[in-house]
Amino acid sequence: MDMVEHDGHCTKLYVKMVNFEFNYKATYCVEWPKLKVFHNGDPVLDVVCDNDKLQFSIEEQKHNKLEFFWYNKTQRHTSHKNGEILEDQTFELGIIRADGILIEDWFMTDGYYKPHYFKGFVDLHKKERTNFPLLEELPSQKIWHFPGKYYFKEWDGTWWDWYYKTKTKKEVVKFTEKDPERIEKYRGTLDPCTDIVHKLRELIK
Amino acid sequence: MKLAFVNIPLQNLDFPPAAASLLTAIVEKRLGWDTKVFDFNMFLNSSVDTDAWIELENYWRSTKEDISDDARNKLETTIEKFTEGLQDYKPDWVAISVFSRWSTIACYEVVKILRKKLKCKIFIGGHGIDSWPGTLPGRDDTKSYTTIASYLKDQNLIDHYITGEGEDAIVELLGGHTEFPGIDGKMPRPVKSLDDVPAPNYRDVNPNDYYYTSEPGVYITASKGCVRKCTFCNVPDLWPIYTLRNTDSLVSEFKMNVDEYGVKFHMFTDELCNGSMKHWRAFNKGIVELKQNDPKYEGIRYRGFMICRSRKEQDEKDWELMAKAGASLFMVGFESYSPKVRAHMGKHNYSNDDIDFFLEQSGRHGIKNIALFFTGYPTETLDDFEMNKEFLYKHLKYAKSGVVHMIRWGYTGMFRDPAKVEAKQGVDMIIDPDFEKKFKNLPWGIRDIALGVGWINKLNPTLTLKERIRRRLEMHELCVELGWPQTRSRDELTILYNIMKNLEHNTIDPQDLANLDNTIDLH
């Protein structure tokens, strides 16, 4: 979230962009993985993953959907010898930062990966693992072996407002029945304390 | 010989009491006594219903003067039942840990009954025993006493009390050496060495039996005292020498807590963890090595108080090291976003850029913070105040992301002893000599706090009591509007309201200064 402008008395804040940093591990075979990043279907980055992180910015919209598309892997990007894999092009998602801040895992783990399986793999799976259907969507998949798309958790409105609300809902605070004020003690409160504020204002008039 | 160590409200229920587990270990090691911890705080919580628990918590906090007959009946019945356990143990001595000023009422309620039922000697200790005896509800016979400890001793409700650190004094007292520093009002002496202190004993207070918030944890101490001397703080008075504990023994205690109790979460009791960067780095490296050598220790995490250091003093590598060692949450007193105000406080060692860097690095490594600030410091001008607001706007992403987990805008009230704040230029404190007379029906429990707000800085005369409260309210409302989670704001505003509604003339205006100046000479 960039603070683009504020007036002399700090009363206005304009939100424009969210800057993302995705850390990853990639392995090489013939070439490095190539990824396209889409925000609401629009391309924002096309990158060769020959490093350890990729960075991009998006302009927030009313509804936001982030997708990674690994598009260059084919069967020639896996090298075999005597049935053993010698080299393979792979991609593994690591930690994610938004605006330089490490965000919690759920943004990734609440998403899912939709691999584009190779035909040979699908045929082999059908033949050898008849009791286990090949999943079309793999939730929380960090390590990718097939090209495909990763769909991150979608969000509405301002990233950080949404992030705060979602994070708060996910927090587990134990023994609240033993300590009724525990949630406030644990994570603070946005309680406006309207009653006491009003009474105090009256007294200092 | 037997020592029963009693832990009382008001204390959190999350973790075993630090004083009880440490001091009983010391008594066992140095005197060879049998000891047992009795946690009345937990016992009470398990014995009464939620309504009574909340009512009693408000009673301990002095937000209500008295309790209902029902709550009183439950309280006294519970103390009587608790005392039976103590009687069965047949102690020669009972120690009561009075954790803070909000433990004094509980202490009074407990000792009233223990004194009648037990024949052994009773002594108290802890930060709370220095509290003004006026904090006791409905007691008109307390005015001539300076502390609650001296009052209780004079009333023969206790036999002795220990002021300051208990590590050495408890051994001397139980050994019959009542002339030792810190005992019965004698000037306390800081503990000689933290390296001679044994590890706490959790035999009777297993961390896994407590009502932890996310995972079981224990307190741990790496140092005493502070490296700074801030105008608003009494830590350097209590611990004049900053004392550090050997990092090897510190790391060993972390290891022992994992090995023996499966506890990985540690809370430093230190006033600050990073007082010596050399020591702090050595500790963090020790924990990282422990984790690298055995995955069993991988989940070790810690939290503690920090001072904001300059980027040069605590750089990117230090932040990375802390994150690897398990830094989870820091409580840090940034105090003000105005460099001028900070400089007056004695916090001139870091700039606003350093605060920004502190937050940036915390965010980078996912370390949470509770940010502590003041509003209404005696030298604070409106421009300084605006800078605090600027902080809220500028760093909003840290609030939303949880990097600043909570923020606290402490109201600057307690300047009854203005010498420290006046030692620097820019402050000439006037304390209204008639301030106490301006109150009617002031609740006893907050009387000492109330009397602390009756000041004005003659060199910053527009910062009246009303103006200070106005600024406090404005910060509260801005935090709510922007989305900064606050801690204890309602409690503090309620105390301010209770003070103001009882103040007959609820202001000290600048025009009163001339009169005050003539009537009082504080220097």
Side-chain angles (χ1 to χ4, degrees), chain A residues 37-91:
Chain A
V37 176
F38 294 92
H39 175 229
N40 289 350
D42 297 327
V44 290
L45 188 71
D46 189 346
V47 64
V48 177
C49 299
D50 56 357
N51 207 315
D52 59 359
K53 69 178 107 165
L54 55 93
Q55 290 169 300
F56 58 91
S57 301
I58 57 163
E59 193 169 340
E60 294 191 316
Q61 292 170 17
K62 203 171 178 182
H63 183 77
N64 299 276
K65 191 169 66 172
L66 203 58
E67 294 160 20
F68 279 12
F69 177 35
W70 179 15
Y71 66 90
N72 71 324
K73 186 170 183 182
T74 62
Q75 282 176 293
R76 76 184 178 92
H77 293 99
T78 306
S79 155
H80 302 266
K81 191 177 182 183
N82 300 328
E84 278 192 26
I85 294 173
L86 297 177
E87 260 188 339
D88 191 18
Q89 190 192 90
T90 63
F91 184 88

Side-chain angles (χ1 to χ4, degrees), chain A residues 1 3 6 8-13 21 23 53 95 97-104 160-161 163-165 167 171-175 177-182 184-197 199-205, chain B residues 12-14 45-46 50 53-54 57 61 210-214 360 363-366 368 386 389-390 393-394 396-403 405-406 466 469-470 473-474 476-477 479-480 483-488 490 493-494 496-497 500-501 506:
Chain A
M1 181 169 66
M3 196 175 77
H6 68 81
H9 294 283
C10 293
T11 54
K12 287 178 185 171
L13 178 77
E21 173 196 301
N23 289 256
K53 69 178 107 165
I95 56 171
R97 292 191 175 94
D99 293 333
I101 295 169
L102 186 68
I103 60 170
E104 293 175 0
W160 284 119
D161 285 339
Y163 182 83
Y164 176 77
K165 281 179 200 154
K167 174 176 76 72
E171 282 168 354
V172 177
V173 183
K174 293 178 182 165
F175 298 119
E177 75 285 1
K178 289 286 177 189
D179 186 358
E181 292 181 336
R182 177 155 295 186
E184 183 184 330
K185 284 178 196 165
Y186 176 71
R187 72 162 79 105
T189 174
L190 295 174
D191 176 8
C193 307
T194 314
D195 52 338
I196 200 80
V197 167
K199 287 196 280 189
L200 256 173
R201 284 220 180 279
E202 285 296 308
L203 284 173
I204 62 168
K205 262 182 183 172
Chain B
N12 286 340
L13 297 159
D14 313 34
N45 185 274
S46 308
T50 307
W53 175 257
I54 292 171
E57 185 153 334
R61 286 190 186 282
Y210 278 75
Y211 302 132
Y212 46 84
T213 302
S214 55
E360 180 209 304
R364 178 163 184 77
H365 296 289
K368 293 176 177 176
E386 286 294 325
K389 287 163 67 181
E390 182 193 334
Y393 282 101
K394 185 177 173 184
L396 186 55
K397 69 178 180 184
Y398 295 119
K400 302 279 185 184
S401 60
V403 173
H405 190 52
M406 292 186 265
K466 275 185 182 179
I469 291 177
R470 186 195 70 75
L473 285 173
E474 194 171 332
H476 168 83
E477 289 180 316
C479 282
V480 173
W484 284 82
Q486 295 183 88
T487 171
R488 292 269 168 230
R490 176 175 282 280
L493 295 178
T494 303
L496 285 177
Y497 171 70
M500 295 303 288
K501 80 172 181 186
N506 57 13

